Amino acid sequence: MESPLTAESAPPTPAPRNHTPSPSPRAEAQEVRMEEKEGTVEEGETADTEEDSIYLSLSEVSVFVEEPAEDASEKAVAEEAAAEERAEREAQRQLLATEELVYTERNYLRLLQVCTCTIRSNLQKHQPQLTNLDSMFLYIEEVIDVSGRLLSLLDQKQLTPHDPLFLETLCEAFLSLSTDIESAYKEYLANYNNVTALENSYKQKEALWTEIVKVIKSSAPEVNAASLSFFLVMPVQRIARYPLLFQTVMKHTEPGHPAYSLLEQTAHTAIALNCRINEYKRFREVADKYKKTETLTIRDKMNRLNSHSIAKKTARLSQFIKHETGIAPKLVDEEFDALEGFFYLLENGITVLHENVETYLDHLQRFLSYRPEEFDLDMDSEKPVICYKEITTALRQWILPTFEKRMRTLVHKPLCALKELLAGPRNLISKRLDKLLDYELIEEKPSLSYDEQAVANTYKTINTLLLNELPQFNGLALTLLWGMLGAFSCLHKDLAADMEQLFQGFTQQLPPGSLEPNAFWEWAECSVLEGARRLESLCWNVKDQLNDSIVQPLSPGSQNRLKVLTDKHGSGKIYQLTGHVVGTRDLDLSLNRGELVAIISEMDTRGDKRRWLVDAGGPRGYVPSSKLVRYHQVTMDPPPSPHLTVTTMDCAGGVRRYSYHPDVRRLSYTPDTPQPQLVRAMSVPCFQVFAGYDFRARSSHEVSLRAGEPIRVLEPHDKKGSCDWSLVEVRGQRGYVPSNYLAVMPTSTTPTATYR
């Protein structure tokens, strides 16, 4: 049976349709089959109609089934090809992003090395030398080191960016160095403002800056750089690019990639690094702003006064008064108070040690300036004299100068540097108190303005900075202090060893060298004690022969201050300073030795009895209680002593009290007779001098008295002849006391004798 769709029975061509869109292939096939069927019926070909109908139905089914399967397979193939193309494109982009990260890191490291090695070394050769050049490159060595270690970890694996494990290795290397990266970059970025300020100071000198630019261009001709900031700004830019570079790599990496989770962690770590570095930089900027110590003249302070500053200081003072009077509660931070107290304790220890070391070195310098060996020594024989001169020559020329140099290098110089470092934390603590007063005024407000929010942020920043940094500073300062004390001990141990080695060569030449060890040490102890006794006696003799007055009279200004303080606080509250006082904290006073003050409170607001609140005749503040002694005013008419009750009758029959006076034993002579005669009585009483009142010595030239104890008067006046002070001896000690604090008591009478 022939197919109805043979060439001979081709269907007629259908008429064209106007302006109709072309049908789909499936619709065209169906339309052709329908037209073929109609043409066959019209030509009378009705034979086998039933079979043809069946055949056509099967043909239609075959067409409808075969064509969709072909389209789906083609579409799947096309989609698969497109997916592969996209994957290849993403892989290529990932490879390019990874190569960019590694390549830029190597180029970045190379430029930093050019800057720090070539350019820096050439600038150091410049004459005259550039001031503070090393501070331009501060902390950049740490940045170079951590960048070099990152590339070294990649090079150790000997992988290329095309290797599947390269991306995983890169992420692991960055994560392992994240702590070191943060430490290096945060210090560099915090110091970058100082770098730009120093470069601007160079630019202000046109001739100098021109020479610097020439050095830069000749040192790095392949780089079009015209300033140091071209290189020094690179770490600032690089740390900010790490998150972008890792995010770009992650963007072109499929989530199914083995290193995707590690890459995501690395990107988050890079972002967190930048956040912490920025926060640290902000803290450092606040610290640098407030820790500076400004030395302003009165005119500068007056120029800074305006309505805003006056209102701010008035509000702070009002809040402070409310705290002190208990009207308003004070914000208490026990953790900070403990840190602050330890800091001030540490500061006091460092200050005292610094003063003692300077005094020690001053005494050592004075000792070296005297040369007693150049004079004739009064010794029993000539051999000890020769030995002594050789020993002192060795001490003065080699041992002690070397010891002094090491002492200044290892102890005094570090101690001075540590003392200077205390100024920054001290100023920050002071500023924190000011900002705390400002913060308490706005703390209870429901909503804050922009300026008030800035005040609150400043206080929180300073408080957080101190809580984080002050423990580290205290620990490091304490470690340095212990190190300096250890060096001080080691230096003296070395000094003792050098002196022992020196004396070993003279032990047999000196008389004590033949003694047994026990006998030698006994002789040495006795010799030292005898020398100390003789030295003390010499000191007393020198003091007795001094021509200066031991006690200087009060100046008119001091007398006025004494009168004001006495009228205001009473004589029992008057104290005198035994030494100079330098204020180191808020409300501390700086006073000179000998100044008079009145005690207001014998403790500070925290209950510390080592700091007393005093009135200095105007300013009020705190001074150390250890440098205050009660002032014993020398009055012309002291109160009667309860310990002297002996009375006698005068010539008129009245009762009179004996009191000590330098002229108590003077006799009157009549000009008409060659022999002296007593004027008032026929017998002269013998007197014993006693202390009429308690007296506390205020210096080493004075001696303390207890009322009622017997006294030996050596001189009834001082070296200038003033009878207000007398040189006495009591309990084996000598010193000056006020003459009107002494009283006399008659012990017996003797017959009148004739004086020739």
Side-chain angles (χ1 to χ4, degrees):
M1 181 177 180
E2 291 183 358
S3 173
L5 299 177
T6 57
E8 289 80 10
S9 59
T13 303
R17 304 172 182 236
N18 296 328
H19 306 289
T20 57
S22 58
S24 63
R26 183 179 301 174
E28 288 181 353
Q30 184 176 1
E31 186 176 356
V32 169
R33 286 192 292 272
M34 293 297 293
E35 290 177 353
E36 289 177 350
K37 182 177 179 182
E38 290 176 358
T40 307
V41 173
E42 290 176 356
E43 292 176 359
E45 298 179 0
T46 59
D48 301 329
T49 304
E50 187 174 309
E51 295 180 4
D52 293 340
S53 300
I54 295 174
Y55 178 78
L56 289 173
S57 299
L58 293 174
S59 300
E60 291 177 4
V61 172
S62 64
V63 171
F64 282 113
V65 173
E66 291 174 1
E67 287 187 5
E70 293 175 358
D71 293 342
S73 62
E74 292 176 359
K75 185 176 181 181
V77 170
E79 290 179 355
E80 183 178 356
E84 292 178 356
E85 184 179 357
R86 284 196 302 271
E88 291 178 359
R89 190 163 56 249
E90 291 296 322
Q92 186 67 21
R93 291 177 178 174
Q94 182 204 65
L95 178 62
L96 292 175
T98 307
E99 289 179 344
E100 179 188 4
L101 194 154
V102 177
Y103 172 77
T104 53
E105 186 72 22
R106 295 186 188 279
N107 189 51
Y108 160 70
L109 178 61
R110 181 183 64 84
L111 292 176
L112 288 185
Q113 290 173 343
V114 169
C115 176
T116 56
C117 297
T118 308
I119 298 177
R120 182 180 184 180
S121 60
N122 292 337
L123 289 176
Q124 287 175 341
K125 299 176 184 177
H126 183 272
Q127 294 297 332
Q129 293 184 353
L130 299 176
T131 57
N132 299 326
L133 179 62
D134 291 337
S135 61
M136 288 282 291
F137 302 92
L138 199 61
Y139 303 114
I140 197 170
E141 296 292 344
E142 289 80 357
V143 174
I144 293 176
D145 176 68
V146 75
S147 179
R149 288 161 57 193
L150 177 62
L151 294 175
S152 177
L153 291 176
L154 295 178
D155 296 337
Q156 288 177 3
K157 299 292 185 179
Q158 296 181 353
L159 300 175
T160 62
H162 299 275
D163 288 319
L165 297 177
F166 182 82
L167 189 57
E168 183 177 351
T169 304
L170 175 62
C171 295
E172 290 176 350
F174 188 87
L175 291 175
S176 65
L177 296 174
S178 59
T179 303
D180 297 337
I181 292 174
E182 180 181 355
S183 300
Y185 278 90
K186 74 178 183 180
E187 296 296 342
Y188 184 85
L189 267 67
N191 187 63
Y192 184 71
N193 290 338
N194 298 330
V195 173
T196 55
L198 183 57
E199 187 179 39
N200 291 334
S201 67
Y202 291 156
K203 290 181 179 179
Q204 292 177 359
K205 302 175 183 178
E206 186 175 354
L208 177 62
W209 181 247
T210 303
E211 295 180 5
I212 292 177
V213 172
K214 289 181 181 179
V215 172
I216 295 173
K217 291 186 176 181
S218 61
S219 302
E222 72 280 3
V223 182
N224 188 19
S227 65
L228 283 173
S229 59
F230 176 86
F231 299 95
L232 299 178
V233 77
M234 288 181 178
V236 182
Q237 299 170 340
R238 187 64 185 175
I239 191 62
R241 288 198 64 190
Y242 281 132
L244 300 177
L245 292 171
F246 281 110
Q247 286 175 348
T248 303
V249 176
M250 186 175 66
K251 177 182 177 181
H252 300 298
T253 302
E254 295 184 0
H257 194 280
Y260 185 83
S261 60
L262 195 60
L263 183 61
E264 187 176 16
Q265 181 184 357
T266 306
H268 291 324
T269 302
I271 295 174
L273 280 179
N274 278 268
C275 293
R276 290 195 294 269
I277 290 173
N278 289 335
E279 189 70 8
Y280 179 79
K281 186 174 183 295
R282 187 172 68 88
F283 281 179
R284 282 289 300 272
E285 289 175 350
V286 173
D288 293 340
K289 176 182 178 181
Y290 290 110
K291 76 179 183 181
K292 295 179 180 178
T293 302
E294 295 181 333
T295 305
L296 300 177
T297 62
I298 298 178
R299 177 176 296 180
D300 295 335
K301 293 180 180 180
M302 293 295 293
N303 292 335
R304 287 191 174 188
L305 288 178
N306 52 50
S307 58
H308 175 71
S309 63
I310 293 175
K312 183 170 62 176
K313 293 183 183 299
T314 303
R316 288 176 182 173
L317 180 60
S318 173
Q319 188 70 9
F320 179 77
I321 294 175
K322 290 179 182 179
H323 288 165
E324 296 300 319
T325 56
I327 298 176
K330 185 178 181 180
L331 187 62
V332 178
D333 189 341
E334 295 182 356
E335 181 182 2
F336 177 79
D337 291 342
L339 292 174
E340 181 187 15
F342 184 78
F343 170 79
Y344 284 126
L345 182 65
L346 190 64
E347 182 185 26
N348 181 64
I350 293 172
T351 303
V352 172
L353 180 61
H354 180 265
E355 293 176 356
N356 293 340
V357 170
E358 284 193 338
T359 304
Y360 179 87
L361 292 174
D362 182 59
H363 291 170
L364 181 60
Q365 192 66 33
R366 290 185 180 183
F367 175 78
L368 292 175
S369 63
Y370 299 122
R371 301 180 179 275
E373 69 275 7
E374 296 179 357
F375 300 91
D376 294 334
L377 302 177
D378 186 13
M379 292 188 176
D380 297 337
S381 61
E382 187 176 353
K383 192 173 183 180
V385 175
I386 297 174
C387 293
Y388 176 76
K389 290 186 177 182
E390 291 180 358
I391 291 173
T392 52
T393 301
L395 285 175
R396 297 179 188 281
Q397 292 185 1
W398 299 294
I399 296 180
L400 291 181
T402 303
F403 170 77
E404 181 188 11
K405 183 178 180 180
R406 295 180 65 193
M407 176 68 72
R408 293 188 182 276
T409 304
L410 299 178
V411 178
H412 183 255
K413 188 175 180 180
L415 193 59
C416 292
L418 182 58
K419 185 181 178 182
E420 292 178 358
L421 290 177
L422 297 173
R426 187 194 317 121
N427 292 341
L428 272 181
I429 292 174
S430 175
K431 288 297 181 181
R432 177 193 175 274
L433 176 60
D434 295 340
K435 299 303 178 182
L436 174 61
L437 296 175
D438 297 340
Y439 177 72
E440 288 178 340
L441 294 172
I442 62 175
E443 183 183 10
E444 302 298 334
K445 291 186 177 181
S447 60
L448 302 179
S449 63
Y450 178 80
D451 294 337
E452 292 173 342
Q453 188 63 46
V455 170
N457 292 338
T458 302
Y459 164 71
K460 292 178 181 178
T461 300
I462 295 178
N463 188 63
T464 304
L465 179 65
L466 287 173
L467 290 177
N468 293 337
E469 301 292 336
L470 197 56
Q472 301 179 22
F473 180 86
N474 289 342
L476 291 175
L478 185 61
T479 302
L480 291 174
L481 185 60
W482 280 117
M484 285 180 276
L485 291 174
F488 187 84
S489 301
C490 291
L491 288 175
H492 282 79
K493 182 179 179 181
D494 295 342
L495 176 63
D498 293 339
M499 297 185 71
E500 181 181 6
Q501 183 179 2
L502 173 65
F503 278 93
Q504 283 179 354
F506 298 93
T507 52
Q508 300 301 326
Q509 302 180 29
L510 296 175
S514 59
L515 298 177
E516 294 293 330
N518 294 334
F520 172 80
W521 287 114
E522 184 178 355
W523 170 84
E525 183 178 1
C526 294
S527 299
V528 170
L529 293 177
E530 178 63 20
R533 187 190 65 78
R534 294 172 61 184
L535 180 62
E536 183 179 6
S537 177
L538 177 63
C539 291
W540 276 107
N541 293 334
V542 171
K543 289 179 181 178
D544 293 343
Q545 295 175 6
L546 289 177
N547 196 26
D548 295 336
S549 177
I550 299 299
V551 177
Q552 298 293 337
L554 294 177
S555 63
S558 299
Q559 292 178 357
N560 294 335
R561 178 188 295 184
L562 177 61
K563 183 177 183 305
V564 171
L565 294 177
T566 304
D567 295 342
K568 190 174 182 180
H569 301 280
S571 60
K573 295 288 186 178
I574 307 302
Y575 279 68
Q576 192 171 26
L577 272 83
T578 60
H580 298 288
V581 175
V582 178
T584 58
R585 300 169 59 178
D586 287 342
L587 301 180
D588 281 0
L589 296 179
S590 296
L591 301 173
N592 296 322
R593 179 179 180 273
E595 290 196 42
L596 301 176
V597 296
I599 302 300
I600 299 176
S601 174
E602 295 185 357
M603 65 179 69
D604 61 7
T605 55
R606 296 182 178 178
D608 188 358
K609 295 185 178 181
R610 294 173 300 178
R611 299 173 70 229
W612 287 7
L613 181 62
V614 302
D615 182 1
R620 295 187 176 190
Y622 294 99
V623 296
S625 60
S626 60
K627 294 191 175 183
L628 291 173
V629 295
R630 188 181 297 276
Y631 177 71
H632 295 275
Q633 183 177 359
V634 180
T635 59
M636 296 304 297
D637 189 15
S641 172
H643 300 279
L644 296 178
T645 57
V646 178
T647 59
T648 185
M649 301 295 293
D650 59 6
C651 296
V655 179
R656 98 179 148 83
R657 182 184 303 274
Y658 287 100
S659 62
Y660 173 79
H661 191 274
D663 296 332
V664 69
R665 295 189 179 185
R666 292 180 182 175
L667 301 176
S668 299
Y669 303 94
T670 59
D672 300 333
T673 59
Q675 295 182 349
Q677 297 178 354
L678 295 177
V679 176
R680 296 173 61 90
M682 298 301 296
S683 63
V684 179
C686 296
F687 294 97
Q688 173 65 52
V689 181
F690 289 87
Y693 317 95
D694 290 337
F695 176 72
R696 182 179 178 183
R698 296 165 294 182
S699 67
S700 60
H701 306 293
E702 301 174 359
V703 65
S704 299
L705 300 177
R706 290 192 295 267
E709 63 179 345
I711 296 170
R712 177 189 176 194
V713 179
L714 302 178
E715 291 182 358
H717 53 79
D718 60 11
K719 292 301 180 181
K720 287 190 174 181
S722 175
C723 297
D724 293 337
W725 293 86
S726 299
L727 179 64
V728 302
E729 182 178 3
V730 57
R731 298 185 305 277
Q733 299 179 359
R734 294 183 176 186
Y736 284 89
V737 297
S739 298
N740 55 359
Y741 272 58
L742 304 178
V744 296
M745 187 178 296
T747 57
S748 62
T749 59
T750 57
T752 304
T754 303
Y755 291 87
R756 298 183 180 274

